[in-house]
Structures are given as C-alpha cells and as structure tokens.
C-alpha cells in the first residue's frame, strides 16, 4: 500500500509516483488522512450522516471554486478519514449506496480502528501554552512597531 500525502489517497501499485506526479510517502501511520469519498454538495448531508452514525472521525475538504464575478462556485466536497477507519468507512458508505467498494478493498488491513482522545491534562496544558505563545507574539509585534516608529521619528527630526 502506497500513500500520496498530496492527494490524500492510497494506491496498490508498483509505480514510484502518484497520478499527480508526486512521490509516494515513505511513512504511513494509522492516523494519516485518506480521501474516502468525494460527493457533490447535494449529497453532503447524506454522507456526513452515514459517517456520524458509524462514529467515524472525518474531516471535510471543500473543493469549491471561486470566480471574481460570481463569487463562490458550488463544487465537490471530499471526506477524509484516518487510515485505521478507512475499511469501515467504505463499508458504511457502500451499504448506503453512496460508494462502490474498490477492487483493492480486500487488501486493506482488518485491524480494529483505534481512536484515542487527547487526555484532559495534556489538552489543558497545550491550551495554556498556546495562549501564552499568542500573548508573547502580540507583545513582540507591538514592541516591534513601537521601536520602528521611534526609529522613524528620530530619522525624520
């Protein structure tokens, strides 16, 4: 199994490069995001409901276009799931008629999906460090602008 980190797709091929031209990633872990389905905006709710009911974590990648004269143009939406949930997601979506099982479906690992939430203490520590880092960044920006304004005013005088 080969993984393209650019396309977010897996391939069972002997090629060294993906269809997009990028080399396949050497490292593939069970949390790597894999595109499971790409649907039109009309079927978006149906696909989301299937994944929610099966308790499969997913992320959405909007592939809508933009035109300066029209604005946002409705387009397809891709759903990404962790590799460990890929086989389950394909089974659920195919049962609901949204997807046909690919020929490589049987080659996917049968390992039970494991999803662990971040411990509460670690999440709290990351939040605190992020807030402190953000405040330091704001201070550096304000102090830098103040310094540049001071330097500019001394040069003008």
């Amino acid at each position: 199994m080969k993984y393209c980190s650019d396309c977010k797709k897996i391939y069972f091929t002997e090629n060294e490069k993906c269809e997009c031209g990028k080399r396949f990633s050497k490292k593939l872990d069970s949390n790597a995001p894999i595109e499971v389905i790409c649907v039109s905006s009309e079927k978006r709710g149906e696909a989301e409901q299937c994944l929610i009911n099966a308790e499969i974590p997913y992320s959405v990648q909007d592939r809508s276009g933009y035109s300066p004269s029209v604005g946002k143009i409705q387009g397809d939406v891709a759903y990404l799931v962790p590799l460990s949930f890929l086989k389950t997601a394909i089974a659920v979506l195919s049962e609901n008629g949204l997807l046909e099982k690919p020929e490589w479906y049987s080659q996917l690992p049968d390992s039970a999906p494991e999803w662990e939430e971040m411990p509460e203490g670690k999440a709290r520590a990351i939040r605190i460090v992020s807030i402190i880092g953000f405040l330091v960044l704001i201070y550096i920006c304000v102090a830098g602008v103040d310094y540049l304004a001071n330097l500019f005013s001394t040069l003008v005088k």
Side-chain angles (χ1 to χ4, degrees), residues 48-68:
E48 280 185 22
Q49 197 59 43
C50 291
L51 294 173
I52 290 171
N53 290 343
E55 296 180 352
I56 298 172
Y58 68 92
S59 61
V60 179
Q61 191 175 46
D62 191 6
R63 295 193 176 157
S64 299
Y66 182 80
S67 171

Side-chain angles (χ1 to χ4, degrees), residues 29-88:
D29 64 343
S30 62
N31 292 327
I34 310 291
E35 180 181 320
V36 67
I37 189 170
C38 189
V39 295
S40 62
S41 57
E42 294 86 36
K43 291 194 176 192
R44 182 176 181 170
E46 194 176 339
E48 280 185 22
Q49 197 59 43
C50 291
L51 294 173
I52 290 171
N53 290 343
E55 296 180 352
I56 298 172
Y58 68 92
S59 61
V60 179
Q61 191 175 46
D62 191 6
R63 295 193 176 157
S64 299
Y66 182 80
S67 171
S69 60
V70 179
K72 186 175 181 182
I73 301 171
Q74 292 295 329
D76 294 340
V77 178
Y79 287 91
L80 307 170
V81 298
L83 176 62
S84 59
F85 285 89
L86 183 61
K87 193 164 189 173
T88 309

Side-chain angles (χ1 to χ4, degrees), residues 4-136:
C4 178
S5 59
D6 203 30
C7 299
K8 308 286 190 233
K9 294 182 182 180
I10 59 170
Y11 295 94
F12 292 90
T13 181
E14 296 300 320
N15 297 342
E16 291 299 318
K17 290 187 177 182
C18 177
E19 294 171 352
C20 69
K22 188 174 180 191
R23 287 192 167 273
F24 290 118
S25 296
K26 295 190 187 324
K27 185 179 178 187
L28 179 63
D29 64 343
S30 62
N31 292 327
I34 310 291
E35 180 181 320
V36 67
I37 189 170
C38 189
V39 295
S40 62
S41 57
E42 294 86 36
K43 291 194 176 192
R44 182 176 181 170
E46 194 176 339
E48 280 185 22
Q49 197 59 43
C50 291
L51 294 173
I52 290 171
N53 290 343
E55 296 180 352
I56 298 172
Y58 68 92
S59 61
V60 179
Q61 191 175 46
D62 191 6
R63 295 193 176 157
S64 299
Y66 182 80
S67 171
S69 60
V70 179
K72 186 175 181 182
I73 301 171
Q74 292 295 329
D76 294 340
V77 178
Y79 287 91
L80 307 170
V81 298
L83 176 62
S84 59
F85 285 89
L86 183 61
K87 193 164 189 173
T88 309
I90 290 174
V92 166
L93 292 170
S94 65
E95 287 172 6
N96 290 301
L98 294 171
L99 177 71
E100 288 190 28
K101 289 182 181 176
E103 65 274 356
W104 45 262
Y105 177 76
S106 60
Q107 294 176 327
L108 289 173
D110 286 330
S111 63
E114 295 179 21
W115 185 261
E116 297 178 15
E117 292 293 328
M118 187 182 298
E120 184 64 30
K122 185 177 179 180
R124 187 172 292 133
I126 289 175
R127 261 189 235 118
I128 291 170
V129 169
S130 298
I131 291 170
I132 291 171
F134 181 69
L135 292 174
V136 168

